[in-house]
C-alpha cells in the first residue's frame, strides 16, 4: 500500500490527557487499505455503487483525498460516464484537484489495491464503522474539553452535548428515490482483451449506439465460435459449456440491425469458408450414395426376374447392396447461424451440426415462435436443453434425432416491449427459460447522437474479423470439445464470488431472492464467460493454458453488470412485487416518524394482506436499504442466555421531509 501522510483532520482536538514525553502520537482509528479498496472497486465495477452507498458515505473516509476521489466517481457515474483511472484523472484535473489526491499514478494504485470488487460492500462497512468510532472519539473529546474548561459556560456545554449527539449516529447520504431505478452500470469493456474491446468501442461510435449492445453481442459471437467445441472444467465433475443466451433491449431507431450485422459479419464468412471446404466431401458422398443406391436397385430388379437357386443368390446380393447404401450418409452443409426458424427446424439443424448452432437476430420474433406462433403449442424443449447441454432426443415420423450435448447460442436485440410481453407468459418463467438469458437494458442515445461520427478504423475491423474467423475455424473440426481448466487462483476467485452471492439468494431479505431462478445460474454463467474471455485472449492458440485469476475477475465484472441489468429487466417484466411493498413500507415509516424501529413493531403496523409473513417485510426493507432509507441496526447480544436482541432498523432522519 502507498504510504500516506499523517492526517491533520484532528489536529485541533486535544487529547484526554497529555501523552508522555517522547511517546508516539495516537492516530484515530482508520483503515486506509479498506478505503483504497472501496474507491478502487467503484472505478472497476460501477454496479457496486448502490451497495457501497447503502453501507457508507464519502465523508466516512479518513483520508480527505479518498473522499474527493469517491465524490468524483459518483459525479461521473451520475452523468453516465466511465470512471476508470484515465477518465477519472481527466475529471479531477479539470476540477484542479488531481495533484492534491496523489496524481494519476495514485489512481492506478487504487485499482491495483482491490482484492475483489465483489467485496466492495464489506470494505465500505469497515470504513463506515471506523468513521463512527472516530466521530465518537471526537464528540467525546469535545464534551470532556468543555467539561474540564473552567471558562466553559452552560451554553458551551449544551453545544458540546448537541454536537456529540449529532455526530454519533453517523452520516446519512441522500436516499435514492424509490420510484427511480438506480442508474445501471455501463458495459465493462475493460474486461475484454484489447482487440475485442477496441472493435466494440469503434462499432458503438460508428453506429452511435450504447456500448452495451455491441459488448453484449460480442459475447454471443464468441459463444457461436466456441459453443459446442469447448467446456470449462470448474472443479471435480462440474463442467460448463461455453454457449450463452444474451438479449439486449432497446427501443426503435437504435440501429440494432446495423450492430448485429457488424458483430456477426466474420461468423458468416467463417460459415461460408466451412461450406466451401465441405463441398468436395459432400459431392463425393452424394455421388457414392447415389451409385450405391442405383447398384442396389439394379440388383433388386435382376433378382425379381430370376428364378430358382439363382434368384436366392441375387436377392441376398441385393439386400447386401441395399444395406451398404443405407450406411452411406451425405454430410450436411455446415451452418453456424439461424434466425427465423421453428423449434423443430432448430432441433434438426442442431442434430445435423453436431449440437452446435446460434440464433442471432435484431428482432424478437423467436419468442413468438417458441410460444407457438406456427403450431399453436409452446415448444421450448430445444432451448432449455440447448442452453444446459442436456441430451436431447426427438422422434420424427421418418427418423430419430439424438443430440448428446447440444450447445445453442442466442444473441438477440429486441424492443423492451418484447421483454414485457414474455414476462407475462407464465410458461417461459415456470419452465426456466427466462432464467437462462443474460439481460442488457442500455440507455438509448437517440436524440444525443453525433451526426458524423468516426468510422471503425480499418486495422481494428481487420483484426476483429481475423480473430473471430480464426477462433471459429480452429475449433470447428474438433471431434471432442476443448476442456479449459482453471488455475487455483481463478478457482479461489470464483469461490469467493459464490460466497458473496449465496446469501443474496435467500428468500428472506436476499437482494436477489425474488430472481433466485436467474441468480442461481449466475456462477455457471460466470464460468462460461470466463471461458469465452480466455479463448479471446488466446485466439491463436494456447489450448493447454488454464484460465487465469485476471480473466476470472474480468468475467466477474461482466457477471455483476448483467446482475444489475437483470434486476431492472425482471422489474420491467413484473417479476418483483417487492417494489410495491417497499413503497407501502416507506409510507408507514414516514407516517410514524420513527428514528429506529424493531422488526417486530414494524411488522405489527403492516397489513397482513400485503405482508402475510416477515419474509415479505425483510425483502422490502432490504430494497429500502439499497436506496438509503434504512440501515440494519440490531444491537449485539450481551450474554449467552435469553433471547437475542430483536432485529432493528435505523430510519433516515429526513424521511418524513423526503416524503412530504
Amino acid at each position: 500500500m502507498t504510504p500516506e501522510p499523517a492526517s491533520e483532520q484532528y489536529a485541533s482536538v486535544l487529547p484526554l490527557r497529555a501523552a508522555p514525553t517522547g511517546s508516539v502520537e495516537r492516530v484515530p482509528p482508520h483503515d486506509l487499505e479498506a478505503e483504497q479498496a472501496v474507491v478502487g472497486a467503484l472505478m472497476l465495477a460501477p454496479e457496486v455503487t448502490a451497495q457501497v452507498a447503502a453501507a457508507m458515505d464519502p465523508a466516512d473516509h479518513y483520508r480527505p483525498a479518498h473522499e474527493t476521489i469517491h465524490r468524483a466517481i459518483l459525479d461521473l457515474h451520475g452523468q453516465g460516464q466511465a470512471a476508470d483511472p484515465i477518465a477519472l484523472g481527466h475529471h479531477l484535473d479539470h476540477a484542479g484537484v488531481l495533484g492534491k489526491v496523489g496524481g494519476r499514478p495514485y489512481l492506478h494504485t487504487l485499482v491495483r489495491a482491490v482484492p475483489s470488487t465483489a467485496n466492495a460492500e464489506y470494505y465500505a462497512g469497515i470504513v463506515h464503522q471506523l468513521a463512527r468510532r472516530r466521530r465518537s472519539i471526537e464528540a467525546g473529546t469535545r464534551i470532556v474539553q468543555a467539561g474540564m474548561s473552567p471558562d466553559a459556560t452552560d451554553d458551551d456545554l449544551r453545544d458540546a452535548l448537541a454536537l456529540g449527539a449529532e455526530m454519533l449516529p453517523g452520516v446519512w447520504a441522500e436516499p435514492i428515490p424509490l420510484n427511480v431505478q438506480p442508474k445501471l452500470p455501463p458495459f465493462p469493456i475493460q474486461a475484454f482483451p484489447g482487440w475485442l474491446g477496441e472493435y466494440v468501442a469503434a462499432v458503438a461510435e460508428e453506429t452511435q449506439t450504447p456500448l452495451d449492445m455491441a459488448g453484449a453481442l460480442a459475447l454471443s459471437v464468441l459463444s457461436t465460435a466456441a459453443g459446442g467445441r469447448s467446456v470449462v472444467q470448474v472443479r471435480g465433475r462440474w463442467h460448463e459449456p461455453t454457449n450463452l443466451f444474451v438479449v439486449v433491449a432497446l427501443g426503435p431507431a437504435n440501429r440494432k440491425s446495423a450492430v448485429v450485422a457488424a458483430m456477426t459479419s466474420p461468423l458468416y464468412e467463417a460459415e461460408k469458408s466451412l461450406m466451401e471446404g465441405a463441398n468436395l466431401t459432400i459431392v463425393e458422398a452424394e455421388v457414392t450414395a447415389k451409385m450405391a443406391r442405383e447398384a442396389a436397385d439394379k440388383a433388386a430388379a435382376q433378382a425379381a426376374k430370376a428364378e430358382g437357386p439363382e434368384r436366392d443368390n441375387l436377392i441376398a446380393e441385393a439386400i447386401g447392396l441395399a444395406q451398404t447404401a443405407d450406411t452411406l450418409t451425405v454430410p450436411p452443409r455446415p451452418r453456424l447461424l439461424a434466425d427465423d426458424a421453428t423449434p423443430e427446424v432448430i432441433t434438426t439443424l442442431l442434430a445435423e451440426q453436431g449440437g452446435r448452432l446460434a440464433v442471432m437476430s435484431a428482432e424478437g420474433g423467436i419468442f413468438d415462435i417458441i410460444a407457438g406462433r406456427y403450431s399453436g403449442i409452446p415448444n421450448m424443449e430445444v432451448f432449455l436443453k440447448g442452453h444446459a447441454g442436456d441430451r436431447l432426443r426427438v422422434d420424427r415420423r421418418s427418423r430419430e434425432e439424438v443430440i448428446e450435448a447440444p450447445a445453442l447460442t442466442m444473441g438477440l436485440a429486441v424492443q423492451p416491449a418484447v421483454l414485457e410481453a414474455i414476462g407475462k407468459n407464465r410458461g417461459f418463467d415456470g419452465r426456466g427459460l427466462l432464467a437462462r438469458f443474460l439481460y442488457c437494458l442500455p440507455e438509448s442515445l437517440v436524440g444525443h447522437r453525433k451526426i458524423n461520427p468516426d468510422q471503425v478504423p480499418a486495422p481494428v475491423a481487420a483484426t476483429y474479423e481475423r480473430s473471430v474467423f480464426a477462433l471459429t475455424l480452429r475449433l470447428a473440426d474438433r471431434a471432442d470439445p476443448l476442456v479449459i481448466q482453471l488455475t487455483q487462483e481463478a478457482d479461489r476467485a470464483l469461490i469467493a464470488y459464490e460466497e458473496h452471492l449465496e446469501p443474496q439468494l435467500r428468500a428472506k431479505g436476499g437482494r436477489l431472492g425474488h430472481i433466485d431462478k436467474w441468480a442461481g445460474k449466475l456462477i455457471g454463467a460466470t464460468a462460461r464467460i470466463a471461458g469465452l474471455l480466455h479463448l479471446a485472449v488466446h485466439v491463436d492458440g494456447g489450448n493447454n493454458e488454464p484460465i487465469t485469476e485476471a480473466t476470472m475477475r474480468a468475467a466477474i465484472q461482466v457477471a455483476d453488470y448483467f446482475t444489475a441489468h437483470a434486476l431492472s429487466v425482471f422489474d420491467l417484466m413484473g417479476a418483483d412485487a417487492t417494489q410495491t411493498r417497499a413503497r407501502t413500507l416507506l409510507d408507514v415509516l414516514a407516517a410514524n416518524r420513527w428514528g429506529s424501529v424493531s422488526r417486530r413493531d414494524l411488522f405489527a403496523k403492516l397489513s397482513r394482506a400485503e405482508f402475510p409473513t416477515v419474509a415479505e417485510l425483510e425483502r422490502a426493507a432490504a430494497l429500502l436499504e439499497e436506496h438509503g432509507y434504512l440501515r440494519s441496526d440490531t444491537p449485539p447480544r450481551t450474554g449467552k442466555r435469553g433471547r437475542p436482541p430483536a432485529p432493528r432498523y435505523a430510519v433516515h432522519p429526513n424521511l418524513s421531509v423526503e416524503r412530504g
Side-chain angles (χ1 to χ4, degrees):
M1 185 183 71
T2 304
E4 306 294 346
S7 173
E8 297 180 357
Q9 185 175 355
Y10 298 91
S12 61
V13 181
L14 299 177
L16 292 178
R17 58 176 61 87
T21 303
S23 65
V24 179
E25 181 182 358
R26 291 186 179 181
V27 179
H30 65 283
D31 189 332
L32 293 177
E33 288 184 337
E35 294 184 13
Q36 288 181 326
V38 168
V39 290
L42 290 172
M43 279 190 271
L44 286 173
E47 61 273 13
V48 305
T49 302
Q51 301 171 34
V52 170
M56 67 169 289
D57 186 86
D60 289 344
H61 288 289
Y62 174 73
R63 187 179 180 224
H66 292 157
E67 179 181 352
T68 300
I69 295 170
H70 192 142
R71 294 188 185 280
I73 293 171
L74 295 182
D75 287 343
L76 288 172
H77 287 174
Q79 299 168 23
Q81 299 179 17
D84 56 71
I86 295 175
L88 182 59
H90 177 76
H91 181 77
L92 292 168
D93 191 24
H94 183 72
V97 295
L98 180 60
K100 296 180 181 179
V101 301
R104 298 182 193 276
Y106 187 60
L107 299 182
H108 289 279
T109 298
L110 294 173
V111 170
R112 292 193 297 270
V114 183
S116 171
T117 58
N119 296 331
E121 185 178 7
Y122 174 72
Y123 307 142
I126 295 174
V127 175
H128 176 67
Q129 290 301 321
L130 292 174
R132 286 172 63 94
R133 291 180 61 191
R134 291 197 305 274
R135 293 185 184 106
S136 299
I137 292 170
E138 183 175 353
T141 302
R142 290 183 184 276
I143 293 170
V144 171
Q145 288 173 354
M148 296 293 292
S149 174
D151 299 326
T153 65
D154 290 343
D155 288 339
D156 292 334
L157 289 174
R158 279 193 294 271
D159 289 343
L161 290 170
L163 178 62
E166 180 182 314
M167 297 178 69
L168 287 177
V171 178
W172 287 81
E174 282 298 313
I176 302 171
L178 193 60
N179 59 348
V180 177
Q181 286 287 346
K183 192 171 184 67
L184 292 175
F187 192 86
I189 194 172
Q190 68 274 9
F192 282 177
W195 66 268
L196 186 57
E198 289 176 7
Y199 184 73
V200 165
V203 167
E205 169 66 20
E206 179 180 297
T207 58
Q208 286 297 287
T209 54
L211 194 69
D212 313 56
M213 180 155 55
L217 291 175
L219 289 172
S220 296
V221 170
L222 294 176
S223 174
T224 304
R229 299 297 185 269
S230 61
V231 297
V232 177
Q233 182 179 2
V234 182
R235 64 185 76 99
R237 297 186 180 182
W238 179 10
H239 290 71
E240 286 289 342
T242 52
N243 57 299
L244 297 173
F245 285 10
V246 177
V247 59
V248 182
L250 264 174
N254 272 283
R255 300 166 180 166
K256 294 187 287 291
S257 296
V259 176
V260 170
M263 299 307 299
T264 59
S265 175
L267 292 175
Y268 283 101
E269 290 300 317
E271 184 180 75
K272 180 180 177 182
S273 177
L274 290 171
M275 287 183 178
E276 291 173 349
N279 277 342
L280 180 59
T281 302
I282 292 172
V283 170
E284 289 179 349
E286 287 175 341
V287 171
T288 302
K290 181 179 179 181
M291 292 175 62
R293 175 52 58 192
E294 289 176 349
D297 292 342
K298 184 178 180 180
Q302 291 177 344
K305 297 177 182 178
E307 296 180 358
E310 183 182 6
R311 177 184 176 87
D312 294 337
N313 292 334
L314 289 174
I315 289 175
E317 180 182 354
I319 291 174
L321 290 171
Q323 290 175 337
T324 300
D326 287 341
T327 62
L328 298 177
T329 58
V330 179
R333 296 189 180 278
R335 287 282 300 272
L336 293 175
L337 297 144
D339 188 350
D340 187 12
T342 65
E344 292 77 16
V345 170
I346 289 174
T347 302
T348 297
L349 288 173
L350 272 172
E352 291 177 350
Q353 303 301 320
R356 175 196 202 186
L357 188 71
V359 177
M360 303 284 284
S361 176
E363 301 293 341
I366 188 67
F367 291 113
D368 292 334
I369 295 173
I370 297 171
R373 176 202 290 173
Y374 300 123
S375 64
I377 302 173
N379 185 353
M380 62 188 76
E381 197 72 15
V382 65
F383 300 96
L384 299 177
K385 293 188 174 180
H387 179 274
D390 296 337
R391 181 183 291 109
L392 179 62
R393 183 189 299 270
V394 180
D395 293 319
R396 305 293 186 199
R397 291 182 179 179
S398 59
R399 67 190 184 281
E400 179 187 58
E401 294 175 337
V402 179
I403 310 171
E404 291 297 329
L408 181 64
T409 290
M410 296 186 75
L412 308 174
V414 305
Q415 294 190 21
V418 173
L419 295 184
E420 293 184 55
I422 65 175
K424 297 174 183 177
N425 189 316
R426 293 187 177 182
F428 282 4
D429 183 40
R431 295 289 305 279
L433 181 63
L434 300 183
R436 284 164 164 78
F437 279 92
L438 298 176
Y439 296 96
C440 173
L441 192 64
E443 186 175 349
S444 172
L445 298 183
V446 173
H448 304 277
R449 296 178 292 196
K450 295 180 184 177
I451 301 305
N452 187 26
D454 296 334
Q455 304 299 296
V456 177
V460 172
T463 301
Y464 172 77
E465 291 165 1
R466 179 193 64 80
S467 299
V468 173
F469 186 89
L471 179 62
T472 305
L473 265 60
R474 179 165 67 86
L475 296 175
D477 295 330
R478 292 189 66 93
D480 297 317
L482 171 66
V483 179
I484 308 172
Q485 310 282 343
L486 304 183
T487 61
Q488 291 183 352
E489 295 79 9
D491 188 34
R492 282 197 291 267
L494 186 60
I495 290 173
Y497 191 49
E498 290 182 75
E499 292 172 343
H500 169 71
L501 283 178
E502 189 62 27
Q504 299 183 41
L505 304 183
R506 294 171 183 164
K508 295 183 178 181
R511 171 176 173 252
L512 305 176
H514 63 291
I515 58 168
D516 57 329
K517 293 179 183 177
W518 183 91
K521 298 181 183 297
L522 185 56
I523 294 299
T526 304
R528 296 184 185 203
I529 294 169
L532 294 176
L533 295 180
H534 172 81
L535 290 172
V537 170
H538 300 281
V539 70
D540 293 319
N543 290 2
N544 297 324
E545 294 292 327
I547 295 173
T548 64
E549 179 184 9
T551 298
M552 182 59 71
R553 293 198 181 282
I556 290 172
Q557 288 184 48
V558 177
D560 282 340
Y561 163 86
F562 281 121
T563 300
H565 282 248
L567 286 167
S568 288
V569 167
F570 277 102
D571 184 39
L572 177 69
M573 292 191 293
D576 189 7
T578 303
Q579 186 89 2
T580 302
R581 294 191 180 103
R583 293 191 183 98
T584 300
L585 184 56
L586 200 58
D587 289 335
V588 171
L589 292 168
N592 286 274
R593 298 176 179 269
W594 286 307
S596 175
V597 60
S598 71
R599 185 180 66 186
R600 184 182 300 110
D601 292 341
L602 181 56
F603 187 61
K605 288 282 187 178
L606 300 172
S607 164
R608 292 291 81 81
E610 191 171 4
F611 293 84
T613 67
V614 173
E616 284 78 21
L617 165 60
E618 289 179 335
R619 281 193 286 268
L623 182 60
L624 291 184
E625 280 198 72
E626 287 185 18
H627 284 256
Y629 287 101
L630 292 180
R631 289 177 184 165
S632 296
D633 193 30
T634 302
R637 187 168 184 166
T638 56
K640 295 183 179 180
R641 296 183 178 180
R643 289 184 177 182
R648 298 189 66 83
Y649 299 108
V651 185
H652 196 290
N654 297 329
L655 181 58
S656 58
V657 176
E658 178 75 19
R659 297 288 289 172

